[in-house]
Amino acid sequence: MFAFIYLVILGLCCCTKESNEVQLDRPRLSGPSVAVLYDVVDFYCEILNLENNETILLNLFRKDDRTEVLGDYPIKPGQEIGVFPREIKDVYEGYLECVASIQNNTEINATVSQPHFFKVVEPVKGTEIVNTGPTEFFEGNNLELQCKVEAGNHVSYQWFLNGRLITLSPFHWIGDNRLIISRASSKDSGSYMCQAKNVFNETTVFSSNSSDVLITVKVLVSTPDISFTVVKKDDHNYLAIITCQSERGDLPITFSLYKSKELIVNATVSERHVTFKVPAVLDQHSGWLQCQANNGQQVEYSRWFPFEIVSVAGPVTVHSDHDMARNYAVVRLRLYCKAARGTHPRFQWYLNQTLLRDRGSFYYVVDKPPEQSILLLSVGSSSSGKYRCEVWDSFDNNTVISSKKLYVDKEVLNRISTSVVATVFSCFTVLVLLVLFCCVSGVMFRVKHHQQKLDSSLEMDQRLVASEDDMDFAEYSEDPDVARARREDEFYLESEASEDEFTQIELERSTLENLADEESN
């Protein structure tokens, strides 16, 4: 009994002690959510329902680091709000918390506010471009540029080429502070500039531009083309003027001339073409020529070209084709002039005795050496006449070969030719003969079929008579006369069903007998 009373008294004492302890409410932290570095701002920590006479200590921490106190403020009895005026540093960025505790009393648990996110904006400055590769390179390689800032956070970047904004594309990648261009081309050459910026409160923008960085993307030399002309020095000596030319490529370019894989000559020039002079022999195949071009990255090769000079020889031929209008009238004519041989021919066209040069009111000359020359004509009264073509060597005009004259007239061109008329008439005759043959064949087939039918009927009748004569009536128990009479009755009964057919057979039989009598007479 005494032990029970002791436990009750002890429990009452403990309950009285707990009821006298101070319970702190959870503080509430407020203040700006963003500020510029080194600005001074105020944070407020409010704790309500204070029912004690002790001093409450409010501390400002970062949520992820309770070791560093960013600010403290003691609240005396009767106060509810603590103020933390702070000069903003970069360590303030993150989630902040306010911790409330009884000063100099660790027996009462401290309470913590809800986290308050705070952003620190450091104005960007000191922007520069860092190139991880050379500033001059050939197309097809990659370009990577990096934009770095001396200070600043929450930075966005924009890239400019020659003052124009660079946007994303299959070959342009922009991410973080980098610009990567894959398979760069000559279009990517120019001055690159990076702009870094950050924003405070969506109203104040801090920006910093880098200095320009010049990038040169060199153009690879294209496949060279090779050609040559011939110059006659005297009656027995000729000189080949060989031209090597590339359509594109950064200068300078080194051209090399090879003859059957043997280097003849080379030259480095500040142009995209070069000429070489090489002695040549007329009407003799002297091997194969090739040009090679190089501007620093790789060597490009021309096709192998036959080193051969053949003089012009006849005959010179002219053939034509034409275009027709909707009414089938010939409106345009093309004449082609070609020599039997010759590697360096020149062509001239004549209408009657008038030389046709390049272009006129009704014609246009297109030379395609060494193959041929084409004369385009508009058919009309002014284009009527006799045309011919002359051909000679470009390096020697002593020998001129002329084609036969070709007469062109609008009415003649639109007249139906004798060959066309003959062809049409022949086709019509063949068609008539074919129809006639089919008709005659049909008649003959019907006569033959009719004759076969008659022969078949006669043979059937003969077989019937023979079977009657061979029949033995003695085998029957009945009277032969009665049996024969019965058979005749059956025969005539069957014949009645096909009376028309029998009549037709009798008529045909009599016709054949008459024909036989006439032949015998």
Side-chain angles (χ1 to χ4, degrees):
M1 184 66 182
F2 177 78
F4 175 75
I5 295 173
Y6 174 77
L7 291 175
V8 171
I9 295 173
L10 182 61
L12 291 174
C13 292
C14 290
C15 291
T16 304
K17 180 179 179 181
E18 289 179 1
S19 62
N20 292 331
E21 287 183 356
V22 178
Q23 298 293 328
L24 294 178
D25 287 341
R26 192 172 192 177
R28 187 176 64 182
L29 180 62
S30 61
S33 59
V34 61
V36 177
L37 187 67
Y38 304 124
D39 282 358
V40 177
V41 298
D42 293 333
F43 294 98
Y44 302 92
C45 187
E46 182 179 6
I47 185 167
L48 303 177
N49 300 327
L50 292 179
E51 298 178 357
N52 66 86
N53 295 323
E54 298 187 42
T55 301
I56 297 176
L57 182 62
L58 302 177
N59 289 320
L60 187 64
F61 294 97
R62 275 179 50 185
K63 181 179 180 180
D64 56 355
D65 185 9
R66 292 285 182 88
T67 60
E68 183 179 359
V69 179
L70 303 181
D72 54 41
Y73 190 91
I75 294 181
K76 296 179 180 180
Q79 293 181 337
E80 294 182 347
I81 298 177
V83 181
F84 302 94
R86 300 284 93 186
E87 182 183 10
I88 301 302
K89 300 178 182 178
D90 54 1
V91 296
Y92 282 73
E93 180 161 302
Y95 286 94
L96 303 179
E97 292 179 334
C98 178
V99 179
S101 62
I102 300 297
Q103 193 172 18
N104 300 324
N105 187 351
T106 58
E107 294 182 358
I108 300 176
N109 294 328
T111 55
V112 183
S113 69
Q114 290 285 348
H116 175 78
F117 181 76
F118 184 69
K119 177 181 176 181
V120 179
V121 176
E122 181 180 7
V124 65
K125 65 178 181 179
T127 305
E128 64 174 348
I129 294 177
V130 177
N131 183 12
T132 57
T135 58
E136 185 175 302
F137 56 91
F138 280 94
E139 59 186 355
N141 294 310
N142 295 340
L143 172 64
E144 182 175 350
L145 301 177
Q146 189 173 4
C147 187
K148 289 189 175 182
V149 294
E150 180 182 338
N153 59 2
H154 306 290
V155 180
S156 61
Y157 301 90
Q158 287 184 321
W159 293 89
F160 296 85
L161 172 59
N162 298 326
R164 299 183 63 180
L165 179 65
I166 300 175
T167 58
L168 289 173
S169 75
F171 298 101
H172 296 76
W173 183 85
I174 301 174
D176 297 331
N177 63 336
R178 293 188 301 162
L179 168 66
I180 298 177
I181 301 177
S182 59
R183 298 174 60 186
S185 66
S186 58
K187 296 180 180 179
D188 298 311
S189 295
S191 297
Y192 284 82
M193 188 266 288
C194 170
Q195 183 183 76
K197 63 181 179 180
N198 50 9
V199 181
F200 169 66
N201 270 348
E202 299 182 357
T203 56
T204 305
V205 178
F206 306 98
S207 64
S208 173
N209 296 339
S210 70
S211 56
D212 290 344
V213 173
L214 181 62
I215 299 295
T216 302
V217 182
K218 300 177 68 174
V219 180
L220 290 170
V221 66
S222 61
T223 301
D225 185 33
I226 182 172
S227 62
F228 74 92
T229 58
V230 181
V231 176
K232 183 178 181 181
K233 298 177 65 178
D234 51 48
D235 292 340
H236 302 287
N237 295 316
Y238 298 87
L239 201 63
I241 310 299
I242 301 171
T243 301
C244 296
Q245 181 173 355
S246 293
E247 294 297 328
R248 60 193 298 268
D250 275 14
L251 305 174
I253 301 175
T254 299
F255 291 97
S256 302
L257 179 64
Y258 284 81
K259 180 181 177 183
S260 300
K261 298 185 179 181
E262 177 186 354
L263 178 63
I264 299 176
V265 64
N266 59 7
T268 301
V269 294
S270 296
E271 296 177 313
R272 294 188 178 89
H273 64 88
V274 69
T275 56
F276 301 111
K277 297 181 180 180
V278 179
V281 179
L282 188 63
D283 295 326
Q284 179 180 334
H285 184 72
S286 302
W288 297 83
L289 298 177
Q290 184 188 61
C291 278
Q292 298 182 9
N294 183 13
N295 65 345
Q297 177 77 3
Q298 62 187 26
V299 180
E300 294 292 334
Y301 305 88
S302 73
R303 60 188 175 93
W304 285 101
F305 192 82
F307 188 32
E308 184 178 17
I309 304 173
V310 179
S311 55
V312 169
V316 175
T317 57
V318 174
H319 68 279
S320 64
D321 62 12
H322 59 270
D323 295 331
M324 304 180 71
R326 292 185 177 179
N327 59 355
Y328 301 103
V330 178
V331 293
R332 284 185 293 274
L333 193 66
R334 289 180 294 275
L335 304 182
Y336 302 88
C337 178
K338 187 175 183 179
R341 51 175 281 183
T343 55
H344 296 79
R346 282 190 177 176
F347 302 90
Q348 275 190 347
W349 288 92
Y350 289 87
L351 171 58
N352 298 326
Q353 300 300 322
T354 304
L355 175 64
L356 303 179
R357 298 181 182 275
D358 298 333
R359 183 191 292 269
S361 59
F362 61 90
Y363 70 89
Y364 180 51
V365 178
V366 180
D367 286 332
K368 294 185 176 181
E371 291 83 8
Q372 60 187 355
S373 177
I374 305 174
L375 179 63
L376 307 177
L377 294 175
S378 176
V379 177
S381 58
S382 58
S383 62
S384 299
K386 295 181 179 180
Y387 290 85
R388 63 185 176 90
C389 173
E390 290 185 352
V391 186
W392 69 93
D393 290 310
S394 62
F395 53 86
D396 188 0
N397 56 3
N398 291 332
T399 303
V400 179
I401 305 175
S402 179
S403 69
K404 293 182 180 180
K405 295 180 181 179
L406 177 66
Y407 182 69
V408 175
D409 184 79
K410 182 178 181 180
E411 295 182 359
V412 174
L413 289 172
N414 291 289
R415 183 186 306 161
I416 300 177
S417 63
T418 305
S419 60
V420 174
V421 175
T423 302
V424 174
F425 181 76
S426 300
C427 293
F428 179 74
T429 303
V430 171
L431 182 62
V432 171
L433 293 175
L434 183 62
V435 172
L436 182 61
F437 174 77
C438 293
C439 293
V440 173
S441 299
V443 172
M444 293 179 65
F445 177 77
R446 292 187 63 184
V447 171
K448 184 177 180 180
H449 180 71
H450 184 68
Q451 183 64 36
Q452 290 177 351
K453 188 175 181 180
L454 289 177
D455 293 343
S456 176
S457 298
L458 289 175
E459 185 178 357
M460 183 181 297
D461 292 342
Q462 291 174 0
R463 288 181 180 178
L464 182 61
V465 173
S467 62
E468 291 177 356
D469 294 339
D470 294 340
M471 186 174 294
D472 187 5
F473 294 100
E475 296 178 358
Y476 297 91
S477 59
E478 62 181 352
D479 186 53
D481 294 334
V482 175
R484 180 176 296 178
R486 185 185 301 160
R487 188 167 56 250
E488 288 178 357
D489 292 340
E490 291 175 356
F491 174 77
Y492 286 111
L493 287 174
E494 294 177 358
S495 299
E496 288 176 1
S498 57
E499 182 178 355
D500 294 337
E501 182 179 358
F502 180 77
T503 305
Q504 181 67 24
I505 292 174
E506 290 295 328
L507 180 62
E508 292 177 354
R509 180 185 296 177
S510 62
T511 303
L512 291 175
E513 290 176 355
N514 293 335
L515 289 174
D517 293 339
E518 290 178 0
E519 290 180 357
S520 62
N521 294 331

